[in-house]
Amino acid sequence: MVCERFLDQFGESAGDTSTRASGLAMDVAKLVFRTYQQHQGDEWGEKALDLIDRLCLAQAFGVREGFEEFER
């Protein structure tokens, strides 16, 4: 829920490196990817995927790194 609220409030600035939100977006992305890795196939995994989509649409800082880490 915290990650959802972050995106609701700061989603538009999550990819703008001149804002504080972009630094926080990296932490949010780590949490979301970790949640997805731990909960694939259940309701939390589905919610994490929705949040990953939102992070991608916002071009949030840290999403690329999240995908790279996930692929390892």
Side-chain angles (χ1 to χ4, degrees):
M1 290 191 301
V2 171
C3 297
E4 287 176 344
R5 288 196 177 154
F6 172 82
L7 285 169
D8 290 342
Q9 189 167 1
F10 301 109
E12 293 180 14
S13 59
D16 182 358
T17 57
S18 68
T19 66
R20 184 174 174 192
S22 69
L24 296 173
M26 185 173 231
D27 293 331
V28 170
K30 286 179 186 178
L31 288 171
V32 171
F33 275 95
R34 186 176 303 142
T35 300
Y36 178 70
Q37 288 175 331
Q38 294 174 354
H39 294 277
Q40 291 179 16
D42 66 21
E43 70 178 280
W44 292 105
E46 291 177 21
K47 289 181 181 187
L49 280 177
D50 290 340
L51 289 171
I52 290 169
D53 286 343
R54 290 183 64 188
L55 287 165
C56 288
L57 289 172
Q59 297 179 345
F61 192 68
V63 174
R64 181 179 303 145
E65 292 82 359
F67 278 116
E68 290 172 359
E69 182 69 28
F70 182 75
E71 290 177 352
R72 291 183 193 167

